[in-house]
Amino acid sequence: MRIGIDFDNTIACYDGVFHAAALERGLIPADLGRDKNSVRDHLNGSGRKDDFTELQGYVYGARMDLVSPYPGFAEFVTAAPAAGHDLFIVSHKTKHPILGPKHDMHAAARGFLTDRGLMGSADSQIAPDRVFFELTKDEKVARAHALGCDVFVDDLPEILGMSGFPDGMRKVLFDPENQFAAKPVPYERRASWAEIAADLRDRG
């Protein structure tokens, strides 16, 4: 099977990262909640919305060293090709931040994949020519269609609900925080990469 995978919040886990980066820049008190929403709400609520916008560019462009892959993803990258699956990363990501220094966020994401041993030439890595960062959501969906993805894994239901994906494609909602556990969603919901790997192994 040809499996398309989103990047942000599907491969790259930002737990605690925005808090650490905001502390580093002196934007928040140390006792603020460590999740991204707490940082965003604090800055937006104190009239510093632009500070949060610039913080996002800083994290995605300059501090990907703070970010880790979700548990189990590296093992999935190794196991999936061995089981005959082809992996593609297909993500919607602007190239430069809206505010602040013009970091190349596509290059930063690729650097993250390389530094974590996820992208390269070995059998246990994803080939660089199978990694796509598209500028718009529509282009992301079009890329998945052009690649003929049989499965697509994303953390956003609104992306999986867009038209233009290949007919009959399996849509897997990655939900590690179980945000959608009590909500009816018309997609296969999985809370970990171990679950996704087991599902593919069992169902082929």
Side-chain angles (χ1 to χ4, degrees):
M1 287 191 295
R2 296 167 74 85
I3 304 171
I5 307 166
D6 177 49
F7 179 76
D8 289 313
N9 303 303
T10 303
I11 295 171
C13 176
Y14 295 95
D15 290 352
V17 171
F18 280 83
H19 186 274
L23 272 181
E24 184 180 275
R25 295 166 73 89
L27 297 175
I28 60 171
D31 60 354
L32 190 72
R34 296 184 70 255
D35 59 289
K36 178 181 177 180
N37 289 346
S38 292
V39 175
R40 180 198 63 200
D41 293 346
H42 175 81
L43 293 176
N44 289 353
S46 56
R48 292 184 289 161
K49 185 175 181 179
D50 285 352
D51 281 347
F52 182 72
T53 300
E54 188 168 343
L55 179 66
Q56 292 184 92
Y58 177 63
V59 169
Y60 297 142
R63 295 314 311 269
M64 290 298 292
D65 60 302
L66 298 175
V67 182
S68 299
Y70 274 97
F73 183 71
E75 291 80 1
F76 178 81
V77 169
T78 298
H85 303 304
D86 296 318
L87 302 183
F88 301 86
I89 295 174
V90 185
S91 186
H92 160 233
K93 181 182 282 291
T94 55
K95 189 165 187 178
H96 302 291
I98 298 171
L99 295 175
K102 296 299 182 184
H103 304 292
D104 186 333
M105 297 191 292
H106 289 191
R110 286 179 174 273
F112 166 86
L113 292 166
T114 300
D115 293 345
R116 301 301 186 278
L118 301 172
M119 183 177 77
S121 58
D123 292 340
S124 59
Q125 297 173 318
I126 300 173
D129 62 358
R130 293 187 172 191
V131 177
F132 302 93
F133 293 107
E134 306 294 350
L135 296 178
T136 69
K137 295 174 183 177
D138 287 336
E139 288 173 330
K140 171 180 177 175
V141 173
R143 177 69 68 180
H145 187 280
L147 292 171
C149 291
D150 301 296
V151 180
F152 201 89
V153 184
D154 204 295
D155 69 301
L156 296 176
E158 55 266 36
I159 293 293
L160 296 176
M162 292 179 65
S163 61
F165 282 114
D167 293 340
M169 185 189 75
R170 286 170 55 190
K171 299 177 179 182
V172 178
L173 178 63
F174 184 64
D175 185 23
E177 302 298 325
N178 288 309
Q179 298 179 68
F180 301 98
K183 302 175 184 178
V185 289
Y187 315 115
E188 301 176 31
R189 190 185 65 84
R190 301 291 180 264
S192 69
W193 277 102
E195 286 185 19
I196 293 172
D199 183 57
L200 290 173
R201 184 171 57 249
D202 294 342
R203 296 176 56 177

